[in-house]
Amino acid sequence: MKLSPQQIAQYNEEGYAVLHEFLSRNAVDAILAEIKDLTAAATVANHDSTRLEMEPNQGPEGRKVRRLYEPCTHYASFRALSESKELLDVIEQLLGPNIYFHLSKVNMKPAKLGSVVDWHQDLTYYPLTNTDSVTVLFYLDDADASNGCLQVIPRAHHRVMDHTLKGYFQGCVTENVDASKAVYLEAKAGSMILMHCLTPHSSAPNLSPHPRTTLIMSYRAADAFPIHLNVRSDAQETHARLARGQEQSEARFSLKSFPMPRFPRDTKSLYELQEMARKELAARKQRDS
């Protein structure tokens, strides 16, 4: 599949592009069925915390899952999709012929629930030597504002926003965000969103009776090397692999500097880190009032 000149221009100029119903209904149904099988037995009291994360504020028998970790590493069908020719043909038009697969996850927003995701830029979590990195999001349910579809701020991907408080990385933007510029990326199940690694994005809780499930994969140019963050980089690179083209022996640098995320403590995921930040920011507001 080829991106149109308009889609490439939108990605470069606005930081994202939407390819409507890229996956067939049958393909989406097969992915949802596998997710259901992988999460069916999980409860808060009994689940594999290395493979999935449960929604908070449930009793021990609660079954609502909010994230599946690294499906494209652990499960053959997800890996096959991440290496499919049709998908990599699209990625190549944005990153060039030498492509690294970086990470994957499934985010789930159960009906009438679903965790909020605050404004953030992906690259602040995993600094690279250059910004040729794209996040691919597949909607597996119809997504709109009511069930927490992705929101982005167009044309804001040309600088790194502040994600720190008291010198520590918070996992969310801590400077003022002009949410009036935000765009809801509403689309049908099977649609694919291509998002630049510095595009600010967020999603609200799911207030609807319908679930919102999203498969997320990240790719980078093969000469975009991780800036080492001790055990964090080691763990993440476990899942990285060459997806197309050739390994590169020299890193390419496109930024003069990049803020290194100094984490306040070890956290399981973006959700936990942002929850900590919300409490700290709320406490600071209360002290200042």
Side-chain angles (χ1 to χ4, degrees):
M1 178 177 178
K2 290 290 186 182
L3 295 173
S4 69
Q6 293 79 13
Q7 288 170 324
I8 294 174
Q10 183 182 27
Y11 177 84
N12 290 328
E13 295 169 12
E14 299 191 10
Y16 73 96
V18 181
L19 281 68
H20 291 279
E21 298 177 79
F22 182 88
L23 296 178
S24 69
R25 183 69 250 181
N26 286 342
V28 169
D29 288 344
I31 296 170
L32 287 173
E34 181 158 10
I35 292 171
K36 184 177 181 179
D37 287 344
L38 293 171
T39 60
T43 66
V44 170
N46 185 20
H47 68 277
D48 183 350
S49 62
T50 68
R51 296 290 180 95
L52 55 86
E53 180 178 350
M54 306 299 292
E55 281 281 357
N57 305 317
Q58 302 182 79
E61 297 307 311
R63 293 182 174 274
K64 292 183 172 65
V65 179
R66 69 177 175 186
R67 174 168 286 180
L68 192 64
Y69 295 132
E70 301 296 346
C72 297
T73 294
H74 299 307
Y75 311 112
S77 61
F78 287 94
R79 178 156 183 158
L81 175 60
S82 74
E83 295 178 341
S84 65
K85 180 181 184 302
E86 187 176 25
L87 175 55
L88 292 179
D89 283 349
V90 170
I91 302 302
E92 182 171 341
Q93 293 170 78
L94 302 178
L95 301 182
N98 304 310
I99 303 168
Y100 243 72
F101 173 86
H102 190 60
L103 59 83
S104 64
K105 55 199 170 187
V106 175
N107 285 352
M108 288 165 265
K109 288 184 184 285
K112 299 292 185 180
L113 188 64
S115 297
V116 64
V117 176
D118 291 321
W119 291 105
H120 67 284
Q121 295 168 301
D122 285 347
L123 196 63
T124 59
Y125 280 83
Y126 45 82
L128 301 171
T129 59
N130 64 65
T131 61
D132 277 349
S133 175
V134 58
T135 302
V136 178
L137 303 97
F138 285 109
Y139 284 158
L140 301 178
D141 300 296
D142 293 350
D144 58 30
S146 72
N147 67 349
C149 72
L150 188 72
Q151 301 177 65
V152 300
I153 299 180
R155 301 177 182 269
H157 61 296
H158 299 297
R159 72 176 183 94
V160 182
M161 303 175 77
D162 189 6
H163 289 62
T164 64
L165 190 64
K166 296 180 179 178
Y168 286 102
F169 181 65
Q170 301 298 310
C172 59
V173 177
T174 53
E175 63 180 83
N176 289 331
V177 175
D178 186 357
S180 68
K181 296 180 179 179
V183 174
Y184 287 98
L185 301 188
E186 298 183 324
K188 295 290 187 181
S191 297
M192 177 170 70
I193 296 168
L194 303 168
M195 186 175 67
H196 188 276
C197 62
L198 285 178
T199 296
H201 59 287
S202 70
S203 64
N206 183 357
L207 302 179
S208 80
H210 309 292
R212 196 229 69 182
T213 309
T214 307
L215 170 61
I216 302 171
M217 296 181 281
S218 177
Y219 296 83
R220 68 188 199 232
D223 60 1
F225 285 84
I227 301 173
H228 195 64
L229 287 170
N230 53 62
V231 294
R232 289 189 174 274
S233 287
D234 292 339
Q236 199 155 54
E237 286 301 288
T238 299
H239 306 286
R241 51 183 160 79
L242 186 70
R244 174 174 284 188
Q246 298 180 339
E247 295 275 4
Q248 300 296 292
S249 58
E250 294 185 6
R252 177 168 50 88
F253 292 83
S254 63
L255 297 171
K256 291 183 179 179
S257 64
F258 197 94
M260 300 300 289
R262 183 184 176 202
F263 288 77
R265 67 173 176 83
D266 191 32
T267 54
K268 178 188 285 188
S269 71
L270 165 150
Y271 296 109
E272 287 189 358
L273 188 59
Q274 290 192 351
E275 285 162 11
M276 291 168 52
R278 276 185 224 113
K279 291 177 182 178
E280 176 61 29
L281 289 167
R284 185 173 68 169
K285 285 182 179 178
Q286 188 172 24
R287 289 193 301 267
D288 293 343
S289 62

